[in-house]
Amino acid sequence: MRFDGNSGAFLGYFVAISAGGLVSPQGIVIGWDGNIYVAEIDRSLGSDSRWISKYDKNLSPLNKLTLSGANLMEFSAMISSGTSFYTILEDSNDNTVKIINYDPNLVALAT
């Protein structure tokens, strides 16, 4: 959803419901590069049910990274660091929470 930065008035949706290919957004961040990064999940797809989508400022799709692994339970929170962004994954295999750092091309960086 979009809101006026001064008045707080509702301006509409970034992406209309059921449009733009968004399935179930879990986290969103507007990157330092002006692009929009969305963490999405669709449990009906099994082990390939989590991905990060990258859109330009006009909401045209640019890239998609599928995160495979049957052990990924939750996928959420995206935080921009200024030159990269972080997302949080919960792994049921070893009962850990992982924080993954990605560059603008959706390549995982060493942490």
Side-chain angles (χ1 to χ4, degrees), residues 27-58:
I28 186 169
V29 66
I30 298 174
W32 61 97
D33 55 3
N35 293 314
I36 301 166
Y37 298 84
V38 182
E40 300 182 72
I41 189 168
D42 182 352
R43 286 179 174 47
S44 70
L45 298 175
S47 64
D48 290 333
S49 64
R50 289 124 180 104
W51 61 91
I52 299 171
S53 298
K54 178 180 176 181
Y55 299 89
D56 69 16
K57 63 183 175 182
N58 298 312

Side-chain angles (χ1 to χ4, degrees), residues 70-88:
N71 301 320
L72 297 178
M73 292 176 56
E74 295 298 327
F75 182 46
S76 62
M78 298 182 73
I79 304 163
S80 176
S81 70
T83 57
S84 64
F85 66 91
Y86 295 84
T87 190
I88 299 171

